[in-house]
Amino acid sequence: MALQHTLSLAFGLLGNIISLLVFLAPVPTFYTIYKKKTTEGFQALPYVIGLLSSMLYIYYALLKEEIKYDATLLITINSVGSVIETLYISLFLFYAPKKARISNATLLFLLNGFSYAVMVVLTRFLATGEMRIKIVGWICLVFSISVFVAPLGVLRQVIRTKSVEFMPFPLSFFLTLGAVAWFFYGFLIKDFYIALPNILGFFLGVVQMVVYIVYKNAKEVLEDQPKGQELSEHIIDVRKISTLVCPEMSPAVILQPTVDITSDMNEVVQNIIIMAEKTEETKEAAMDDDASTKV
């Protein structure tokens, strides 16, 4: 028992450290939002779900404290996580477009305000003792899975756009490590409400990292491809313009690279000189006619 307690304490502390890194992983993302003054393609849903999960586990830990179970490690990390997630969401709402701000604020109120309050009231007055802990434990389990599943929306965006810009790798990496630590913590203290969701969290974290590795260089390749396409499109546009200007002329003839520009210019100049001489002759003839008419 002493060894089991020591190991559970060690994994619990490790889980706290890694979870803190998980909470801090999006800092570069929100620094980018702060610098650009826009949320661009970033989503607030993972942080809203993360905040709700932390709030639920604080409530779950307090209920276990009521039956003389030490849940300090759950309370500490989820309290810190709630503060950090709140800061993220506040920053997101501040810089989000009006439509996104309203929709995410509504989601925040419905999930983290109204739903959470209803759950607390119902479990406090309609359940007691172990039954109350089991009900809240199952709710925590479901939302822990939601925390791991929430980034899958971003995962779909990565696959569709072939860009990992909106899926920071550190977040996926630390979520995977945290899942391992919290699984062993829950396993050692025989709390499957903690252990079970982290099994799924581990596999989803691995999937996210694999997708990141696959698409991390895809954007560079896509950026190189349009150069050749732009040249071909430019050639096509030149041919279209040539056809519009001189529809009877073939585009292939228009784009002949062996045209002697110097000889063409000389010919144009000579034509202008000839036309000027003819104009002068015409004017002189007209003046002679006028003079003879007056006489």
Side-chain angles (χ1 to χ4, degrees), residues 10-150:
F11 279 109
L13 290 173
L14 181 62
N16 269 251
I17 295 171
I18 296 174
S19 294
L20 178 60
L21 295 175
V22 169
F23 288 128
L24 295 177
V27 167
T29 297
F30 283 90
Y31 180 70
T32 301
I33 291 175
Y34 169 74
K35 286 191 67 177
K36 294 184 176 181
K37 310 300 182 186
T38 175
T39 56
E40 292 185 331
F42 296 104
Q43 299 179 8
L45 180 61
Y47 309 104
V48 173
I49 297 297
L51 175 60
L52 181 56
S53 179
S54 294
M55 294 167 62
L56 287 170
Y57 268 108
I58 291 174
Y59 182 48
Y60 176 70
L62 291 174
L63 291 178
K64 296 196 77 171
E65 290 275 354
E66 291 180 1
I67 59 172
K68 308 302 180 183
Y69 179 86
D70 185 13
T72 304
L73 294 175
L74 287 178
I75 295 174
T76 53
I77 188 57
N78 285 290
S79 298
V80 173
S82 295
V83 173
I84 295 174
E85 297 285 5
T86 301
L87 292 175
Y88 289 155
I89 295 170
S90 300
L91 189 63
F92 184 93
L93 293 177
F94 184 79
Y95 287 111
K98 184 177 180 180
K99 184 177 180 181
R101 185 185 302 121
I102 294 173
S103 61
N104 284 288
T106 303
L107 178 66
L108 181 66
F109 170 75
L110 291 176
L111 286 180
N112 300 62
F114 179 76
S115 299
Y116 182 79
V118 169
M119 184 273 299
V120 171
V121 170
L122 291 178
T123 53
R124 293 301 298 183
F125 291 100
L126 299 181
T128 57
E130 290 289 339
M131 181 56 65
R132 180 190 296 157
I133 294 176
K134 287 181 179 180
I135 294 173
V136 177
W138 273 106
I139 296 173
C140 289
L141 187 151
V142 170
F143 274 92
S144 290
I145 294 175
S146 300
V147 170
F148 293 116
V149 172

Side-chain angles (χ1 to χ4, degrees), residues 184-197:
F184 282 107
Y185 174 78
F187 176 77
L188 290 168
I189 65 173
K190 296 179 173 59
D191 190 335
F192 83 96
Y193 299 115
I194 297 175
L196 188 60

Side-chain angles (χ1 to χ4, degrees), residues 2 59 70 172 219 229 267 269:
Y59 182 48
D70 185 13
S172 301
K219 187 176 181 181
Q229 293 176 355
E267 184 178 351
V269 172

Side-chain angles (χ1 to χ4, degrees), residues 141-290:
L141 187 151
V142 170
F143 274 92
S144 290
I145 294 175
S146 300
V147 170
F148 293 116
V149 172
L152 292 182
V154 180
L155 193 67
R156 182 177 60 182
Q157 183 180 5
V158 170
I159 296 173
R160 180 173 56 84
T161 62
K162 294 181 173 57
S163 171
V164 295
E165 182 180 1
F166 303 114
M167 189 179 73
F169 182 81
L171 181 60
S172 301
F173 177 72
F174 287 120
L175 275 173
T176 306
L177 287 182
V180 174
W182 285 114
F183 165 75
F184 282 107
Y185 174 78
F187 176 77
L188 290 168
I189 65 173
K190 296 179 173 59
D191 190 335
F192 83 96
Y193 299 115
I194 297 175
L196 188 60
N198 285 288
I199 297 175
L200 178 61
F202 171 77
F203 287 107
L204 290 178
V206 170
V207 169
Q208 290 178 47
M209 289 191 292
V210 169
V211 170
Y212 184 94
I213 292 171
V214 170
Y215 288 104
K216 68 176 181 177
N217 296 322
K219 187 176 181 181
E220 297 177 3
V221 174
L222 290 175
E223 287 177 350
D224 290 339
Q225 287 179 352
K227 295 179 180 178
Q229 293 176 355
E230 288 174 1
L231 180 59
S232 61
E233 290 173 0
H234 175 70
I235 294 172
I236 292 171
D237 290 339
V238 170
R239 291 180 176 179
K240 287 180 180 178
I241 294 171
S242 302
T243 307
L244 289 172
V245 175
C246 304
E248 74 280 1
M249 299 180 68
S250 169
V253 176
I254 296 298
L255 297 177
Q256 285 294 334
T258 57
V259 174
D260 190 345
I261 297 177
T262 304
S263 61
D264 285 350
M265 290 298 295
N266 291 333
E267 184 178 351
V268 170
V269 172
Q270 290 175 3
N271 289 334
I272 292 173
I273 294 172
I274 294 171
M275 290 175 65
E277 291 176 350
K278 288 183 178 180
T279 303
E280 290 296 329
E281 292 175 357
T282 304
K283 286 183 179 179
E284 291 176 357
M287 291 175 65
D288 293 340
D289 291 339
D290 290 340

